Amino acid sequence: MNRSAYAYLLGLYLGDGHISRPEQHRTASLSISCDDNWPGIMDSAEKAMREVMPHNKPCRVRRTGSHDVKLYSQHLTCYFPQHGAGKKHERLIALRPWQQEIVEAHPWEFLRGLIHSDGCRITNWATRTVNGVVRRHEYPRYFFTNTSTDIVALLTSTLDAVGVRWKTSVPRPTGQVNVSIARKASVALMDAHIGPKY
């Protein structure tokens, strides 16, 4: 197994992925939902699937405004033991020791998967008055939004490990938590390893 590709695929799975097995199917499938606005992420998801499970062939299923990148395998719940009944934010999400070892060895790939699924890079702006003149100040920042406090904790602990500074917002009424990365040095680190969606 390509461990670097697995770290990326694990991040995608925790964000926009799920495993299902309808009664009419013999094997389970892993689906990563990808917005059509980011075809490069679809390609990256498919490439990671091929590198993690080279004997299984991924495919793409069209949805409205998106595609599911899918892979069928009898071993998916071994690769992703976080699978379970119900929504991710309604159950415990914790990495197994072998997964934690992979994330620690490939933290940027794990972060890239999380940002590619539930994150973004935007240009933020603010105004300030200098000598009576209102000036607009623009600066890049990264956001990550998720309802699972466990997944947010996996993101932030990995950010800590690579030296990226972050802040969280007060949870929304829906329970979603925003993680913001706006300090110049931290954004530069993220740009060097992740960059905008593509």
Side-chain angles (χ1 to χ4, degrees), residues 61-194:
V61 178
R62 183 183 297 276
R63 307 291 182 196
T64 303
S66 67
H67 280 75
D68 286 347
V69 181
K70 297 189 76 166
L71 182 80
Y72 291 87
S73 172
Q74 296 179 351
H75 306 292
L76 288 172
T77 55
C78 298
Y79 281 94
F80 302 98
Q82 289 71 34
H83 171 67
K87 298 177 181 178
K88 294 190 190 91
H89 68 274
E90 295 174 345
R91 63 179 191 269
L92 175 68
I93 300 292
L95 299 185
R96 299 288 176 85
W98 63 269
Q99 292 177 301
Q100 188 63 46
E101 288 178 11
I102 291 175
V103 168
E104 289 173 2
H106 304 281
W108 284 111
E109 287 304 302
F110 180 62
L111 290 170
R112 194 165 69 96
L114 288 170
I115 295 297
H116 279 180
S117 57
D118 282 341
C120 64
R121 183 192 188 275
I122 65 166
T123 300
N124 208 6
W125 62 271
T127 58
R128 59 184 175 189
T129 303
V130 180
N131 297 326
V133 178
V134 177
R135 298 182 184 274
R136 180 181 170 117
H137 171 63
E138 295 186 349
Y139 57 97
R141 75 191 307 173
Y142 284 82
F143 277 110
F144 177 83
T145 303
N146 200 290
T147 308
S148 167
T149 55
D150 292 334
I151 294 173
V152 169
L154 289 171
L155 171 88
T156 55
S157 63
T158 309
L159 290 173
D160 288 340
V162 296
V164 170
R165 300 184 67 176
W166 52 271
K167 290 184 178 180
T168 57
S169 65
V170 176
R172 300 176 180 177
T174 58
Q176 289 182 325
V177 177
N178 277 334
V179 178
S180 170
I181 300 161
R183 289 184 176 268
K184 188 174 181 180
S186 292
V187 170
L189 264 177
M190 296 288 284
D191 282 346
H193 293 278
I194 298 173

Side-chain angles (χ1 to χ4, degrees), residues 6 9-10 13-14 16-22 27-32 49 53 70-86 88 91 99:
Y6 177 79
L9 190 59
L10 176 61
Y13 163 74
L14 291 176
D16 285 331
H18 69 275
I19 294 171
S20 63
R21 185 179 178 180
T27 57
S29 65
L30 167 65
S31 295
I32 306 292
M49 286 180 177
M53 288 174 267
K70 297 189 76 166
L71 182 80
Y72 291 87
S73 172
Q74 296 179 351
H75 306 292
L76 288 172
T77 55
C78 298
Y79 281 94
F80 302 98
Q82 289 71 34
H83 171 67
K88 294 190 190 91
R91 63 179 191 269
Q99 292 177 301

